[in-house]
Amino acid sequence: MTQPLRVGVVGAGRVGAVLAAALRGAGHEIVAAAGESDASRGRIAALLPGTPVAKPSAVARGCDLLLLTVPDDSLPNVVAVLAASGALREGQYVVHTSGRHGLDVLAPAAELGARVAAMHPAMTFTGTEVDLDRLAGCVFGLTADVRERPLAEALVADLGGRPMWVPEQMRTLYHAGLAHGANHLVTLVAEAMEMLSAAGADDPAGTLRPLLSAALDNALAQGDAALTGPIVRGDVGTVEAHLADLVANAPQTLGSYLALARATLARAVTDGRLLPIRAARIREALDAATPVAHPATGTGAGLS
């Protein structure tokens, strides 16, 4: 454990409340937390019982380590306001948990002599005690100057995580990779369940679970080599049948099916598993599917 610090949290959302609870469990003192919504105050009460709720400026003034866990778009303004109000000081640690931002967003704090770092947990949070056990082994995307690196790594160790150093100029790409893999996966799975429901499945989640679990494990271990299915096999007729049935029964999913099918096709050709002549026929089938306005949803769906 690092030397115990007096920690203040601004933004008691799903991430902030959980990280603060984990730091408290590691021996740090949570001196105050800022949270405006009922949900945030409920998380403070549940995960940080006894912790005073205060305004952001008061939280910042009373701590050695200020943990900023506000949304990405709010972070620049929060830092600027705290710096302008005199709430930040020389030698104080100011750490944010944004995936997108690095150190530039903390420039107002650094100009006052604060020691700054970015520490983003690569995990989805529920904002409950369930997340505390999930932190074990979680990767944290870190960006910090040389002087602050030991503290950043020590905090990650206290949280039970693993450090991954991300260059300042690569923060957005790092975050895009996580969002594409996790957030878009949720959309993909939800649409797959909609298709199965339309096909009559009474338990679409249970139907998909073993297939998706195996596919995810294989993809993480093997990359493109894990690809299976009609596109890799060159089954044009099956792809055409998919498109026709999606238009008839699940038109809201057509757009993502086309986008991912095209991406899968390109990867299958690149790694040599699909001959160009077969790829051309599948591409023609995909190109023939033209999104049109769907009266029920207002979203694009249909075949030309």
Side-chain angles (χ1 to χ4, degrees):
M1 187 189 83
T2 61
Q3 179 179 350
L5 295 168
R6 290 166 49 83
V7 180
V9 184
V10 172
R14 297 182 181 185
V15 176
V18 170
L19 294 185
L23 289 174
R24 173 187 270 184
H28 300 283
E29 179 186 0
I30 310 302
V31 296
E36 297 294 330
S37 70
D38 290 342
S40 292
R41 290 173 180 264
R43 279 187 284 266
I44 294 171
L47 291 169
L48 301 167
T51 298
V53 178
K55 295 293 185 182
S57 58
V59 173
R61 287 189 176 95
C63 65
D64 305 315
L65 167 64
L66 178 62
L67 195 60
L68 300 176
T69 56
V70 299
D72 289 356
D73 288 353
S74 301
L75 183 58
N77 185 60
V78 169
V79 176
V81 169
L82 290 176
S85 69
L88 305 179
R89 65 182 184 275
E90 184 176 0
Q92 182 180 36
Y93 292 107
V94 179
V95 178
H96 74 69
T97 59
S98 166
R100 170 193 168 193
H101 292 292
L103 301 183
D104 284 350
V105 73
L106 296 174
E111 289 169 2
L112 295 172
R115 304 177 67 174
V116 300
M119 183 182 75
H120 173 256
M123 189 179 93
T124 297
F125 286 78
T126 65
T128 67
E129 288 184 355
V130 171
D131 298 331
L132 294 173
D133 290 336
R134 292 176 177 171
L135 285 173
C138 172
V139 170
F140 284 75
L142 301 178
T143 302
D145 290 335
V146 173
R147 189 173 67 141
E148 274 60 70
R149 284 195 168 205
L151 174 83
E153 290 186 330
L155 287 175
V156 170
D158 287 347
L159 291 166
R162 296 185 290 124
M164 170 186 170
W165 288 101
V166 183
E168 175 77 15
Q169 68 273 20
M170 292 300 176
R171 291 290 300 192
T172 300
L173 182 61
Y174 152 81
H175 191 240
L178 296 178
H180 187 47
N183 303 150
H184 298 170
L185 176 62
V186 173
T187 301
L188 174 64
V189 173
E191 289 192 348
M193 289 196 292
E194 289 174 2
M195 294 179 194
L196 289 175
S197 293
D202 58 1
D203 182 15
T207 302
L208 282 170
R209 184 169 286 108
L211 176 65
L212 295 186
S213 297
L216 179 60
D217 288 343
N218 291 341
L220 291 173
Q222 304 171 30
D224 285 335
L227 278 175
T228 63
I231 289 180
V232 175
R233 293 193 299 266
D235 292 339
V236 182
T238 298
V239 173
E240 290 174 334
H242 284 180
L243 296 170
D245 259 20
L246 291 180
V247 170
N249 299 297
Q252 75 279 8
T253 67
L254 180 63
S256 61
Y257 181 99
L258 289 171
L260 290 171
R262 289 190 176 101
T264 301
L265 182 66
R267 300 184 80 87
V269 171
T270 298
D271 75 2
R273 296 178 62 188
L274 184 63
L275 293 176
I277 190 169
R278 281 195 170 274
R281 291 182 60 197
I282 293 177
R283 190 174 296 109
E284 290 172 1
L286 297 174
D287 290 344
T290 304
V292 297
H294 186 256
T297 63
T299 58
L303 290 175
S304 59

